[in-house]
């Protein structure tokens, strides 16, 4: 979860993040490469959700509760 300016090109940001994190993980954990298919760490897809004007604490609580059985 992070904040971004409305004019931020999120697809470029996400792809740069995926590239950088993939490189760092492969460097730190070389054994990971043996488990990958065609050197692909991340899939090409991603999910981006926006929150509009919701207070960040409400969004944080919502995210933290995902997957918890009630």
């Amino acid at each position: 979860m992070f904040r971004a300016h409305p004019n931020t090109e999120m697809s470029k940001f996400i792809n740069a993040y995926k590239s950088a994190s993939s490189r760092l993980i492969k460097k730190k954990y070389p054994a990971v490469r043996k488990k990958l298919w065609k050197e692909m760490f991340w899939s090409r897809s991603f999910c981006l959700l926006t929150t509009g004007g919701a207070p960040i604490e409400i969004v944080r609580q919502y995210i933290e509760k995902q997957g918890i059985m009630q």
Side-chain angles (χ1 to χ4, degrees):
M1 179 169 57
F2 62 94
R3 291 182 192 201
H5 189 274
N7 293 338
T8 302
E9 292 186 60
M10 294 307 300
S11 61
K12 288 183 180 180
F13 172 81
I14 291 169
N15 286 327
Y17 176 84
K18 288 166 70 172
S19 294
S21 62
S22 174
R23 274 193 309 277
L24 291 172
I25 291 168
K26 289 175 190 176
K27 184 177 179 180
K28 187 171 182 174
Y29 305 101
V32 166
R33 287 185 182 272
K34 296 176 185 174
K35 307 277 185 187
L36 299 177
W37 182 69
K38 292 187 176 182
E39 292 286 317
M40 300 279 297
F41 188 81
W42 298 108
S43 73
R44 292 177 49 191
S45 63
F46 61 87
C47 176
L48 174 65
L49 305 171
T50 59
T51 61
I56 202 71
E57 190 53 37
I58 299 299
V59 175
R60 186 183 321 277
Q61 289 172 10
Y62 174 79
I63 292 169
E64 289 173 352
K65 290 180 182 177
Q66 296 305 300
I68 296 175
M69 301 293 287
Q70 303 234 355

